[in-house]
């Protein structure tokens, strides 16, 4: 069964794509906690992140590391926080969020409302900084 993330990966649902390779896909969260809030997913639609095979899991984190460095370059912050919750969509994913305090990654706080143009600009900035 396809998840919303597999539909995004297949291009059936639009997104603000940051990067992809053969195994992983990164795109902006459309309900961001901060500008630059990005989701990183394996293309393999496994529900629980710790059910990924070791090679897939390590590859996901290496891919996320590249994205995190690009986020930090474009959105100056203390760190890029990472969280894996896994309850909202049954497809393993990592949230990468630019943070300056622990409270910046509180999912109970109000989400940002950004224009499509701003989302496009954020995606372009992050993508242009991936090394």
């Amino acid at each position: 069964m396809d998840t919303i993330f597999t539909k995004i990966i297949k291009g059936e649902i639009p997104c603000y794509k940051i990067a992809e390779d053969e195994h992983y896909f990164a795109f902006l969260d459309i309900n961001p906690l901060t500008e630059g809030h990005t989701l990183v997913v394996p293309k393999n639609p496994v529900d629980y992140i710790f059910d990924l095979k070791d090679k897939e899991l390590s590859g996901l984190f290496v891919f996320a590391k590249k994205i995190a460095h690009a986020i930090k370059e474009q959105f100056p912050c203390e760190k890029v926080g990472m969280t894996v919750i896994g309850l909202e969509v049954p497809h393993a994913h990592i949230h990468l969020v630019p943070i300056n305090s622990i409270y910046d990654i509180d999912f109970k706080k109000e989400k940002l409302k950004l224009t499509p143009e701003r989302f496009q600009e954020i995606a372009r900035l992050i993508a242009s900084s991936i090394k």
Side-chain angles (χ1 to χ4, degrees), residues 99-111:
I99 60 172
N100 292 304
S101 83
I102 193 167
Y103 303 105
D104 292 338
I105 204 162
D106 180 355
F107 283 85
K108 292 182 287 183
K109 75 180 203 175
E110 189 172 340
K111 308 306 184 279

Side-chain angles (χ1 to χ4, degrees), residues 52-97:
L52 288 168
K53 294 182 190 301
D54 291 350
K55 187 174 179 179
E56 287 177 295
L57 182 62
S58 62
L60 179 65
F61 278 87
V62 170
F63 186 81
K65 178 181 175 180
K66 293 175 191 176
I67 306 301
H69 284 299
I71 291 169
K72 192 166 190 319
E73 184 173 315
Q74 291 298 326
F75 296 90
C77 55
E78 185 71 28
K79 295 187 177 187
V80 174
M82 180 185 71
T83 185
V84 175
I85 300 168
L87 298 174
E88 60 279 5
V89 177
H91 188 135
H93 58 287
I94 297 170
H95 291 264
L96 297 176
V97 183

